[in-house]
Structures are given as structure tokens and as C-alpha cells.
Amino acid sequence: MPQQYARDQPTGFTNRIERIAVVGASGSLGTFITAELLKTGKHTVTAISRADSRYKPPEGVKIASVNYDDFPSLVSALKGQQFLVITMSVLAPREIHSKLIRAAAEARVPYVMPNGYGMDFKNDALCGQGVSVDEIRADCAEIEATGVSSWISLVCGLWYEWSLANGPEWFGFDFKEKKLTFYDDGNTQINITTWAQCARAIAALVSIKELPEDVSDQSPTVSSWLNKPLYVSSFLLNQKEMFESWKRVSKDQDEDWTFEHEPSLERRNKGLELFQQKGDFRGMARAMFSRCFFPNGDGNYESKHGLANTTLGLPREDLDELTGVVKEVIESGRSYAMRRGLDLW
């Protein structure tokens, strides 16, 4: 699609994103996104919610009730929106995402952020590896195929606090038994992001100009990421660096813990077998996370593509502060999502 310029747009064009719809506003990531959008004071935020939902939105958020079996209700809810953010459970039926894409096109929504929020789906080596990049590619292709909407997909790697607190299948930490399984030697760094940083990135994106004023305007715009990934990150970390942060926060020592090493490829294959043969989602987590830690650098996308953190004005986060949140969650005996009052997935 050729670059458009604000000066060429019809009378009444404002060159800013004002109306944003969020699917999954009550969920894990959606709660953060909604809060950050409200903080800007620049947007009308609409939560797309099932008609039978008990969701009570925060002040300032509108509700558009829909029935996913009633396509016209989806189109009606999205009419007039400029940007659709989709956040859904990994367990949600794929056809719901497809319905949203088609409804957005029918409603003439120009921008859609698909339900990605993970690894670098532009990396061909990750295709067919159980880390969801195939699904994200398919979603982006479906959006482009509408000929109406364009996609911007957030690449954020793995989530820090949520993953660290959830158990050994994720980052290898078993806090109850004080046992840490290192993938390979534990030195492979990958990009990791917090829910809050993801939300700040989205809010910052939709708060800049939509289009450059003219061909000489080199400032960042929403259209700069038209049909492209938006790469952000909180930290570039390996397991040993996570453990060092944990020790600083908890005052634990090495001798308090038991350590094991497992080849990341072997761990991935065992996880896939557990999921495929028994339907155990812990196997899916084990396979996905160990694949991201392969020592070939597939989990480190900032070295290949750089990050949009500075362009979007994202803050530098404090690792130990966030590890402290994990410690509080573990001591409370609840999951990170439960502590936030959110759905796990």
C-alpha cells in the first residue's frame, strides 16, 4: 500500500486515532491496555463484550455488547472505530478471531492489532515450532486479504512476572521446592516484556500521528508500522540473570536451591509429546518456552530488528521491583493473574 500523507486527506481528517475498540478488555493483558489508553486522555475506548458478560468496565470505558454467533452485531459494534485491539485467551476458538477480522473489514476499521503478543513471527525458523507464530502469520494475512484493514502486531516475547510466577514449565523455576531447571547452560538471553510495558506500547502507538504530514515528515506515525511487527521489550534476560534478581529480592543463596540442566531441544520435544498425547497444557507451555530459549538466538529479536521502545517513549523498568511482585504472588499462594483479579489465560 503506497504511503499516504495527511495533507492529501479530505476535509475533516484529524490525523489522530481517537476511537479504539478492545476485545478482551477484562482479561489478562486487556485490563492493562484499557487502563493505559484511559491514562492518555486522547481516546474514546470501547470494550467489545459478550451480551451475557458480567464485566463492569472502569469509568470512561464504553461497552458494546455482541453475540459472536450474530455477525451483524459485531459489525455494528465496530462501526466508526479506527483501531481494533484483539486480546483473547489462547484457548479461544480460532473462528472467533476470524469473525472479528471480517467484521472489522465490514465496518471499515482501518487498523487491527491481532491476538499475537509473543515471539517474532517474521522469523521463519519459528514456524511449525509450537510457539504460535503460524497462527499470527495467518491472522495478519487474513487482515490484509480484506483489502480494507491493515495490521500492526505487537512482538513482545514472553511475559515476565506471569511466566516466572506460574511454575517450572515456564521459566524453569519451582519456588515451592526451590529447584531451578536451566535450559542448556542457562545463559541464553531472550526478550521478555511485562503486561504493563505491552500496554504502554499500544497506548503510545495510538497517541502519535496517524500519517506523516507530507513526504518530508520523518516523524514516527501509526502508519510507520502498517502491516509490520511492532517490536518492544522490557528486558533481555537469561535464566541465570532472573535467578540473580530473585536472590537479591528474596535473600536466598545458591545453597538454598537445587539446580538441574536439560537440553532445550529435549525439553521442547517432551513438552510437545505431553500436550499432543494427553492434552496437558503444561506440556504446551514447556514446549513453547524451551523453544524460545534455543541457543541459536531465536528468542532475541532485538539484535535483529531493534526495538521501538525509545521511539514510543517507553520507560526503563526495574527488574528487581518486578521480581518483588512475583515474590509477593508466590507468598500469597495465588497466581499472578489471580492476584490481579484476571483470567489466567
Side-chain angles (χ1 to χ4, degrees):
M1 181 180 296
Q3 176 65 61
Q4 298 185 52
Y5 298 101
R7 72 175 187 182
D8 300 325
Q9 302 308 304
T11 301
F13 179 72
T14 60
N15 204 22
R16 60 181 179 268
I17 302 295
E18 298 175 327
R19 300 175 302 281
I20 302 170
V22 180
V23 173
S26 64
S28 305
L29 180 57
T31 300
F32 285 88
I33 293 171
T34 303
E36 289 297 326
L37 289 172
L38 290 175
K39 283 181 186 179
T40 70
K42 298 179 179 181
H43 313 287
T44 298
V45 182
T46 300
I48 306 299
S49 182
R50 293 179 184 274
D52 59 354
S53 172
R54 293 179 292 178
Y55 169 58
K56 295 182 179 180
E59 184 177 355
V61 175
K62 296 183 176 183
I63 286 283
S65 297
V66 301
N67 179 347
Y68 283 101
D69 293 323
D70 178 14
F71 187 71
S73 76
L74 295 176
V75 177
S76 177
L78 294 174
K79 285 280 188 182
Q81 300 295 334
Q82 295 171 280
F83 202 110
L84 170 62
V85 179
I86 303 175
T87 69
M88 299 170 63
S89 164
V90 297
L91 305 180
R94 291 279 300 158
E95 59 265 25
I96 291 180
H97 197 282
S98 184
K99 286 180 181 180
L100 287 166
I101 291 172
R102 290 186 285 111
E106 185 77 16
R108 312 298 296 182
V109 179
Y111 302 98
V112 176
M113 180 167 285
N115 192 46
Y117 318 108
M119 298 306 296
D120 180 15
F121 64 96
K122 286 293 188 179
N123 183 348
D124 291 338
L126 291 175
C127 290
Q129 296 292 301
V131 291
S132 300
V133 300
D134 304 271
E135 291 84 352
I136 301 170
R137 285 188 173 196
D139 292 338
C140 292
E142 186 176 7
I143 294 167
E144 280 195 64
T146 66
V148 176
S149 305
S150 299
W151 58 269
I152 301 174
S153 188
L154 188 72
V155 175
C156 57
L158 303 176
W159 292 325
Y160 182 63
E161 313 103 289
W162 184 83
S163 303
L164 186 59
N166 258 342
E169 285 78 19
W170 281 260
F171 282 151
F173 286 76
D174 185 334
F175 290 101
K176 182 178 179 180
E177 301 297 330
K178 290 197 172 184
K179 177 181 176 182
L180 172 54
T181 301
F182 288 117
Y183 307 153
D184 304 310
D185 60 8
N187 287 316
T188 299
Q189 290 185 315
I190 67 169
N191 285 107
I192 297 169
T193 311
T194 63
W195 278 334
Q197 192 79 315
C198 290
R200 285 189 289 261
I202 294 169
L205 170 69
V206 296
S207 296
I208 59 179
K209 293 186 297 185
E210 181 180 355
L211 302 174
E213 296 297 331
D214 52 38
V215 70
S216 65
D217 185 358
Q218 298 301 306
S219 58
T221 65
V222 175
S223 65
S224 301
W225 285 280
L226 195 69
N227 294 332
K228 296 177 183 177
L230 175 63
Y231 294 97
V232 301
S233 179
S234 295
F235 310 108
L236 183 67
L237 291 176
N238 60 39
Q239 289 175 287
K240 289 185 176 179
E241 289 166 326
M242 294 181 208
F243 185 58
E244 289 302 313
S245 178
W246 174 260
K247 288 194 297 182
R248 291 191 295 270
V249 169
S250 68
K251 308 306 179 184
D252 281 354
Q253 302 297 319
D254 285 355
E255 52 266 30
D256 299 322
W257 282 68
T258 300
F259 304 99
E260 290 186 353
H261 292 262
E262 185 174 7
S264 53
L265 176 59
E266 179 180 316
R267 186 176 177 88
R268 170 189 169 273
N269 291 341
K270 288 180 180 178
L272 284 177
E273 181 179 347
L274 179 63
F275 176 62
Q276 293 169 352
Q277 294 186 4
K278 298 185 177 180
D280 191 329
F281 280 91
R282 290 175 298 176
M284 182 177 71
R286 187 181 301 174
M288 177 182 294
F289 277 65
S290 56
R291 178 61 184 87
C292 294
F293 279 99
F294 273 21
N296 62 1
D298 282 339
N300 176 3
Y301 51 78
E302 74 173 79
S303 65
K304 304 177 184 70
H305 305 288
L307 299 174
N309 288 40
T310 300
T311 300
L312 296 177
L314 302 183
R316 185 182 296 273
E317 295 169 287
D318 187 312
L319 177 61
D320 288 358
E321 178 182 338
L322 294 163
T323 303
V325 172
V326 174
K327 182 174 181 293
E328 291 177 14
V329 170
I330 293 167
E331 290 175 346
S332 74
R334 307 177 74 195
S335 74
Y336 182 68
M338 288 171 63
R339 179 178 182 272
R340 296 279 187 174
L342 308 172
D343 295 330
L344 178 62
W345 291 97

